[in-house]
Amino acid sequence: MGKQKQQVISRFFAPKEALTSTPPSKKLKSCSSSPSPGNAEKTLISAKTVANSSKPIVSSKAIATPPKTLISPAKSDSKSSLPAFNPSLHRKFLEKLLNPPSSNRTLSNHKLASNDQKFTPLEQQVLSLKSQYPDVLLMVEVGYKFRFFGEDAETAARALGIYCHQDHNFMTASIPSFRLHVHVRRLVGLGFKVGVVKQTETAAIKAHGSNKVGPFSRGLSALYTKATIEAAGDLGGELGDACYNSSNYVMCVVEKSELGFVEEGFDTRIGILAVEISTGDVIFGEFKDGVMRAQLEAVLLSVGPAELLLGSPLSAQTEKILLGYAGPTSNVRVERASRECFNDGGALAEVMSLYEKLVEDGSTVKQCEQKEDIKPNEKLSLGVEGIMAMPELPVQALALVLRYLKQFELERILCLATFRPLSSSIEMTLSSNILQQLEVLRNNSDGSEIGSLIKLMDNTLTAFGSRLLKHWLTHPLRDRISILARLDAVSEIADSIRVGEGAHNAADNESTDCGAKVVRVELYNLLSSVLTTLGRSPDVQRGIARIFHRTATPKEFIAVIHALLCASKQLQRLDLGEESNEGPTSPRSDLLRRLILTASSLKVTSHAAKLLSALNKDAADLGDINNLFIASNDKFQEVARGCTAVQAAEEKLDALIGQYRKILGIRNLEFLSVSGSTHLIENYVRPVFLEENEPAQIQIQSGRHPVLESILQESFVPNDTNLHVEREYCQIVTGPNMGGKSCYIRQVALIAIMAQVGSFVPASSARLHVLDAIYTRMGASDSIQHGSSTFFEELSETSSILHSCSSRSLVIIDELGRGTSTHDGVAIAYATLHYLLKEKKCLVLFVTHYPKIIDIKYKFPGSVGPYHVSYLTTKTTENGENTGHGNVTFLYKVVPGGTDKSFGLNVAGLAQLPASCIARAAVMAAKLESDVCSRLKNRLSGNIQRVSVIDHSPFDEHGVREKEYLEVFSLLWNSLLDSDPSNCLHSLKDIQKHALEIFSSENGQ
């Protein structure tokens, strides 16, 4: 099966249709899989569909073919037997052939139907439902199947690979009812908004009701999208399916120009609010963004919303970024919502009205009483105060999200959810450039997680742990106390694992520290047991949210509560006191200790045990609602009375069935009811974070790229990094193409991120200061949709870095200035580095192919160090002559000193450019190098000839300076006599270095 193609059919991007209808005889059949753009009033269903060519869809173009005329063989040659040609009849035949009758229609153009068009009762019902829910892909229950109609059928056929055919007036496709939850999840995963329409009456009710003749009554029973499906119920699927382990935020974006209105081409203020309905997590924020909308792009990549709610009006630049994120391959659904009614505080009033209703809702108040021992009114007032303190734009986004969630009956989650700001003083928000260029969440080759940092680090056993790790990676800590607390917890777990595994492998070994080892082994065994229990349990976090929304099934409810109870009881085996940490198995880490105390509290275990004691697990597994509750003298008396009444009614029916069989003469008459193990990375060390009053620095010994090391294993070459703001705080890295420069600077950034996340890092040792931000400028890419070139993108990113970085930041710039002419590129790269060193004085890694940049070290002596990635070269000859480009062996070791060799011709050979092309390039490179050397020779030769007398007075005392100067001029003259341009150029550079040392030592005296 070939790869599925994707196309956007959003109602937001589709061309506007003409309002005038075309006569049926002048248009193609409307239920075609490729409708004519002339058809009016189309109802496009959702933002995305997947085309699947593996299973063809039966076309609805039923071309009328003329009846065959049987011609006798005896008369086949007779021209008189054929009727005369009639142009008018021929024209009518062609019209009938090319434009068949318009009796077959899709749902999108049913309004164009003629008055004599007859729809079946079911089709009329579907048309009515479609007019109420035009943007929903409807699955209509018909008997034992769920059917799609019209364009919905064609869309579902492409997406699901099912058969689509003509039935009466519309195209139709169907799925069996027992596969409903499977196909709903597939459609929702592709970005559709899916509605399930079920029969609201059975055959028995219909036979004895007022609707005896008409079709079964039907209504929309459930509505699903990617962001709401995990909180919704009545699907029959398993909680925490693998494909839904990631976060599924619905994010609303609103905008207001700095001028007070949405204006193109200006800076703007953007407000966002993102809700993870299945977990209760709410993110809000308001920020100022530039024309390129770089911060908005960073938010999109960090949050990763599954649905976008566009608060109109939006500027063209903002809309381009949002629609670019929700591209054809993203399966992100887009919906628009107007906020024009939110003027003069209308948004805040609408949000407050919801909270007032919740105060009146007794069920919600009771749930508030169970939370943190705060009275319900106080709990709600705290939420109101928090919303009152929110900026204006996030409040508008909150109101739009509330409106959106009302159609799913999920708006209650916002009232008891955890609101957290987009940016925090203790967290670092990584920019979109860092997430993309360092491949934190996705690789840059195919966009998958394979080869990314999160794929390497995510060895979590639970779905909620994986989601939390993603948040940690995109928001590293920048508070030293918080980082150390997390590292203490990680260190203790790692130590217990190491000791526990060692105890299992060498049980007979004795040690003087036997007691400490017993403690660590006990902690290891308990933590492993708890993690294994949670790993085998359903998604507890989402399960709690489903319980809150009252959409969890009894089986899910018991599974979640049972998992919490088991984990809590196991953690209670650790000897933890409420005030002190005395005990044989008490963790040393305060953070780990607090988490264990919370999870193992008596309140948790008592409530969980009480709930489980009242429920029948076997009945829940079988779906037996009647026997689900275990009634007793003081609990569920109403349930017990109801069960007794049901049993009495069943006994009465059983007594009557015999009589009915005799009366009706039906012998078979029956009554029908109406209704893992933990992962430890070896050779990783705990980073050491310096005090706040110490100068900013990064000291890494034998650092390694975490992702590449996992691939290359022992073949990876480690490198040291030493940056200190009071000594050398800038490294200028040069070297050949493909030599490992980008790998080196990326590994430094990734090690810093991992360290501030609270993870161990791939190095032999790491001492760092807490960074307030990390900035990168790597790679080359343009933005055609924004009308910006590659070079403009480079400078825009560089400008953002220069305005945002501080002395506590790490700035990494890779090959700035290559998108323009050599002189302009060198000048801009030099000026940028000069600004960073003088104005910002931040830690800098600067990769360049311009040797001239290295001269900046003389402007900042001791602060800038030139480095290069080492290599070995061997010259190749043909017919006894040097070819100009030899073989290069990369050593991948960063060593002091600069180099001007890039070996571009060797890369051309690896890229398999034609041999003649490479040979021509070698000739041109030699010629250009020779021209440069000739100009330098001529200029220096003239200078030497003008030197006729040397003032010996400063050197008469010892004669040392005179000897050094004469040696420099002698070497200079010999280099000019060298016929090899390459050797001449290297000699001149050595002479220049020697002369500068003389001058610097003279100035020092």
Side-chain angles (χ1 to χ4, degrees):
M1 182 182 294
K3 186 177 181 181
Q4 292 183 342
K5 299 181 180 178
Q6 296 178 327
Q7 63 183 25
V8 176
I9 60 167
S10 172
R11 59 191 174 96
F12 316 129
F13 316 131
K16 294 183 179 179
E17 307 290 350
L19 294 178
T20 59
S21 61
T22 306
S25 62
K26 299 295 184 181
K27 62 181 180 178
L28 292 176
K29 202 171 200 177
S30 60
C31 57
S32 168
S33 59
S34 301
S36 170
N39 295 339
E41 300 185 14
K42 294 185 179 298
T43 304
L44 297 181
I45 295 178
S46 66
K48 196 168 301 293
T49 184
V50 177
N52 190 335
S53 60
S54 61
K55 293 190 177 182
I57 302 172
V58 176
S59 175
S60 59
K61 296 180 180 180
I63 300 177
T65 57
K68 296 182 179 180
T69 302
L70 299 179
I71 302 176
S72 172
K75 299 181 180 181
S76 61
D77 297 332
S78 176
K79 294 182 180 180
S80 62
S81 64
L82 296 177
F85 178 74
N86 188 333
S88 176
L89 185 62
H90 181 70
R91 184 169 56 255
K92 290 181 180 180
F93 167 74
L94 290 179
E95 287 181 0
K96 206 155 194 144
L97 174 67
L98 299 177
N99 302 296
S102 57
S103 59
N104 295 326
R105 289 178 172 82
T106 60
L107 301 181
S108 62
N109 64 349
H110 66 274
K111 293 182 181 180
L112 300 179
S114 58
N115 294 331
D116 59 349
Q117 178 66 38
K118 293 184 179 180
F119 295 101
T120 66
L122 175 60
E123 289 175 341
Q124 293 176 358
Q125 200 174 61
V126 172
L127 288 174
S128 175
L129 289 167
K130 196 63 185 177
S131 64
Q132 299 177 51
Y133 310 101
D135 62 336
V136 180
L137 190 74
L138 294 180
M139 307 175 70
V140 183
E141 184 181 20
V142 182
Y144 297 102
K145 295 182 179 180
F146 281 89
R147 293 178 62 184
F148 305 88
F149 292 89
E151 288 184 355
D152 289 359
E154 298 181 19
T155 300
R158 294 188 187 96
L160 303 176
I162 60 179
Y163 186 72
C164 179
H165 63 93
Q166 189 77 30
D167 184 21
H168 292 86
N169 294 296
F170 301 120
M171 300 293 291
T172 185
S174 63
I175 60 169
S177 58
F178 64 89
R179 297 282 292 174
L180 173 66
H181 69 281
V182 175
H183 293 297
V184 167
R185 287 185 176 272
R186 289 181 63 187
L187 291 171
V188 166
L190 294 173
F192 291 105
K193 186 178 183 180
V194 180
V196 176
V197 177
K198 290 189 175 182
Q199 297 175 179
T200 57
E201 60 180 357
T202 63
I205 294 178
K206 185 174 181 295
H208 295 84
S210 59
N211 187 28
K212 296 181 180 180
V213 180
F216 286 95
S217 299
R218 293 179 174 87
L220 187 71
S221 65
L223 201 59
Y224 305 103
T225 62
K226 198 171 183 180
T228 62
I229 189 170
E230 288 302 321
D234 207 20
L235 266 189
E238 292 296 329
L239 178 64
D241 287 350
C243 58
Y244 286 89
N245 286 345
S246 60
S247 297
N248 291 316
Y249 285 91
V250 53
M251 187 170 83
C252 181
V253 180
V254 297
E255 180 183 26
K256 182 179 181 180
S257 173
E258 291 292 297
L259 303 177
F261 54 91
V262 176
E263 181 69 22
E264 307 297 339
F266 290 91
D267 292 349
T268 185
R269 295 202 67 81
I270 295 177
I272 69 103
L273 187 129
V275 184
E276 223 308 2
I277 302 161
S278 64
T279 62
D281 186 28
V282 179
I283 306 172
F284 69 92
E286 180 177 328
F287 51 88
K288 181 181 178 181
D289 211 349
V291 178
M292 303 303 297
R293 304 296 190 262
Q295 292 194 43
L296 176 60
E297 186 179 4
V299 172
L300 289 171
L301 293 176
S302 176
V303 177
E307 293 186 52
L308 287 176
L309 191 60
L310 308 187
S312 301
L314 293 175
S315 64
Q317 291 93 328
T318 300
E319 196 161 308
K320 283 181 180 179
I321 289 292
L322 295 173
L323 299 183
Y325 171 79
T329 60
S330 65
N331 293 334
V332 174
R333 186 175 176 275
V334 179
E335 186 163 322
R336 293 182 187 272
S338 175
R339 56 188 176 99
E340 293 179 355
C341 59
F342 291 154
N343 298 327
D344 302 326
L348 184 60
E350 184 163 332
V351 174
M352 291 298 103
S353 66
L354 174 66
Y355 276 83
E356 292 176 359
K357 292 179 181 178
L358 287 174
V359 173
E360 301 172 358
D361 185 359
S363 60
T364 305
V365 169
K366 290 180 181 179
Q367 292 182 21
C368 295
E369 293 175 348
Q370 305 295 333
K371 201 168 184 179
E372 300 179 6
D373 297 329
I374 299 178
K375 294 181 180 180
N377 291 339
E378 293 179 358
K379 184 68 182 178
L380 292 175
S381 64
L382 291 176
V384 171
E385 291 176 1
I387 292 176
M388 293 287 290
M390 288 171 59
E392 175 189 2
L393 293 181
V395 172
Q396 292 186 12
L398 175 59
L400 291 177
V401 171
L402 281 172
R403 281 187 174 185
Y404 178 71
L405 294 181
K406 278 183 180 179
Q407 59 184 312
F408 304 94
E409 299 181 354
L410 297 174
E411 69 275 12
R412 296 169 56 254
I413 188 63
L414 294 178
C415 303
L416 298 177
T418 303
F419 284 76
R420 58 184 176 90
L422 182 64
S423 58
S424 171
S425 59
I426 65 171
E427 287 184 344
M428 179 197 311
T429 301
L430 299 183
S431 67
S432 59
N433 287 337
I434 293 179
L435 296 177
Q436 289 177 338
Q437 294 167 1
L438 298 183
E439 300 178 303
V440 176
L441 301 178
R442 303 246 186 269
N443 66 51
N444 292 331
S445 57
D446 59 1
S448 66
E449 287 189 354
I450 299 175
S452 64
L453 180 63
I454 193 171
K455 182 66 174 180
L456 172 77
M457 297 184 64
D458 190 359
N459 294 282
T460 55
L461 296 179
T462 61
F464 50 89
S466 179
R467 292 192 293 268
L468 180 61
L469 178 62
K470 179 183 177 180
H471 173 75
W472 284 1
L473 276 181
T474 54
H475 297 80
L477 297 172
R478 55 181 181 182
D479 177 69
R480 183 175 179 273
I481 297 177
S482 301
I483 295 174
L484 293 179
R486 192 178 290 176
L487 282 172
D488 288 341
V490 173
S491 298
E492 181 145 16
I493 294 174
D495 291 342
S496 66
I497 293 173
R498 188 178 298 110
V499 174
E501 291 179 346
H504 286 297
N505 295 332
D508 297 333
N509 293 345
E510 295 184 358
S511 173
T512 56
D513 194 15
C514 183
K517 281 194 173 184
V518 171
V519 173
R520 302 277 73 79
V521 170
E522 181 67 15
L523 179 62
Y524 163 73
N525 292 333
L526 287 177
L527 291 179
S528 297
S529 177
V530 170
L531 291 175
T532 301
T533 300
L534 293 177
R536 294 173 178 173
S537 302
D539 193 334
V540 174
Q541 186 183 31
R542 284 182 169 165
I544 294 174
R546 286 172 64 86
I547 293 172
F548 171 77
H549 289 299
R550 307 167 190 167
T551 58
T553 63
K555 182 179 179 181
E556 291 171 351
F557 182 90
I558 292 178
V560 170
I561 301 301
H562 184 264
L564 293 175
L565 180 61
C566 290
S568 180
K569 285 185 176 180
Q570 289 172 336
L571 290 174
Q572 284 179 355
R573 293 166 53 190
L574 294 173
D575 188 6
L576 300 178
E578 295 293 334
E579 300 294 336
S580 64
N581 57 357
E582 297 292 334
T585 59
S586 178
R588 300 186 302 268
S589 166
D590 292 335
L591 176 60
L592 187 60
R593 176 183 169 79
R594 288 198 305 271
L595 293 174
I596 294 176
L597 280 173
T598 301
S600 62
S601 66
L602 293 176
K603 184 182 294 186
V604 173
T605 55
S606 61
H607 282 303
K610 183 178 180 181
L611 289 172
L612 289 180
S613 64
L615 298 175
N616 186 342
K617 184 176 182 302
D618 295 334
D621 293 338
L622 297 174
D624 184 3
I625 302 299
N626 293 333
N627 297 316
L628 177 62
F629 297 95
I630 302 175
S632 60
N633 295 330
D634 57 341
K635 292 186 299 184
F636 305 117
Q637 292 300 310
E638 294 182 2
V639 174
R641 288 193 293 269
C643 290
T644 303
V646 169
Q647 185 177 1
E650 289 179 349
E651 291 175 355
K652 183 181 290 186
L653 288 174
D654 291 338
L656 293 173
I657 190 66
Q659 301 177 20
Y660 288 148
R661 286 173 180 170
K662 292 179 180 179
I663 296 173
L664 298 175
I666 303 175
R667 305 179 64 180
N668 59 347
L669 179 67
E670 297 289 346
F671 288 114
L672 296 178
S673 60
V674 179
S675 32
S677 63
T678 317
H679 185 83
L680 177 65
I681 303 177
E682 300 294 340
N683 301 322
Y684 276 37
V685 298
R686 172 175 174 164
V688 176
F689 282 92
L690 306 175
E691 297 289 343
E692 292 292 335
N693 55 3
E694 296 190 46
Q697 56 187 287
I698 296 178
Q699 308 288 337
I700 301 174
Q701 304 299 319
S702 299
R704 306 180 301 277
H705 192 291
V707 178
L708 289 183
E709 185 198 19
S710 66
I711 299 173
L712 300 177
Q713 299 296 330
E714 297 179 356
S715 301
F716 189 88
V717 178
N719 279 294
D720 300 340
T721 303
N722 296 289
L723 297 172
H724 196 290
V725 74
E726 294 183 352
R727 296 193 291 269
E728 182 180 285
Y729 60 92
C730 173
Q731 290 184 0
I732 301 177
V733 184
T734 58
N737 289 294
M738 300 178 64
K741 302 186 299 297
S742 296
C743 174
Y744 167 68
I745 59 177
R746 280 182 167 91
Q747 84 179 28
V748 175
L750 290 176
I751 288 175
I753 291 174
M754 293 174 66
Q756 293 194 209
V757 165
S759 168
F760 285 20
V761 297
S764 61
S765 67
R767 290 171 53 85
L768 307 96
H769 197 280
V770 178
L771 302 172
D772 63 356
I774 300 174
Y775 300 96
T776 62
R777 156 82 283 281
M778 302 177 184
S781 62
D782 57 15
S783 183
I784 298 176
Q785 67 270 23
H786 294 133
S788 56
S789 64
T790 301
F791 188 55
F792 181 79
E793 287 285 316
E794 289 185 27
L795 295 188
S796 297
E797 294 175 7
T798 304
S799 173
S800 176
I801 292 174
L802 296 183
H803 285 92
S804 305
C805 67
S806 70
S807 59
R808 297 284 185 175
S809 303
L810 171 63
V811 176
I812 297 176
I813 297 180
D814 189 3
E815 298 186 29
L816 177 65
R818 61 184 174 182
T820 184
S821 65
T822 302
H823 297 301
D824 289 349
V826 172
I828 291 174
Y830 186 96
T832 299
L833 183 57
H834 189 279
Y835 183 88
L836 290 172
L837 296 175
K838 183 179 180 180
E839 302 296 334
K840 297 295 185 176
K841 204 173 183 180
C842 53
L843 305 179
V844 181
L845 294 175
F846 199 92
V847 174
T848 183
H849 282 289
Y850 299 136
K852 185 66 177 177
I853 304 295
I854 298 178
D855 294 344
I856 203 172
K857 68 179 182 179
Y858 303 116
K859 294 285 186 180
F860 302 91
S863 300
V864 181
Y867 293 83
H868 72 277
V869 183
S870 57
Y871 57 89
L872 297 176
T873 60
T874 56
K875 292 184 178 181
T876 58
T877 60
E878 291 183 5
N879 300 325
E881 296 183 1
N882 185 10
T883 60
H885 61 283
N887 295 324
V888 182
T889 302
F890 300 128
L891 302 180
Y892 303 108
K893 197 71 176 178
V894 178
V895 297
T899 179
D900 60 344
K901 290 292 185 181
S902 295
F903 299 100
L905 297 179
N906 296 82
V907 178
L910 292 175
Q912 296 183 351
L913 264 67
S916 59
C917 179
I918 298 176
R920 173 59 60 184
V923 172
M924 288 297 299
K927 184 177 182 302
L928 293 173
E929 192 173 14
S930 177
D931 292 343
V932 172
C933 291
S934 298
R935 287 196 297 269
L936 187 59
K937 274 186 180 182
N938 295 333
R939 186 165 63 250
L940 293 178
S941 178
N943 293 337
I944 292 174
Q945 292 174 2
R946 285 194 294 271
V947 179
S948 56
V949 178
I950 299 178
D951 185 5
H952 297 280
S953 56
F955 315 111
D956 287 341
E957 183 176 357
H958 300 289
V960 177
R961 294 300 180 199
E962 178 181 3
K963 183 177 180 181
E964 290 179 348
Y965 272 97
L966 291 176
E967 182 180 356
V968 168
F969 282 108
S970 175
L971 293 173
L972 183 60
W973 183 253
N974 291 332
S975 66
L976 295 177
L977 297 178
D978 196 332
S979 59
D980 188 347
S982 179
N983 295 338
C984 172
L985 188 60
H986 283 290
S987 300
L988 291 175
K989 289 185 177 296
D990 293 338
I991 295 167
Q992 181 189 31
K993 181 179 178 181
H994 189 39
L996 289 173
E997 290 175 355
I998 296 175
F999 283 123
S1000 61
S1001 61
E1002 180 181 347
N1003 294 334
Q1005 294 178 353

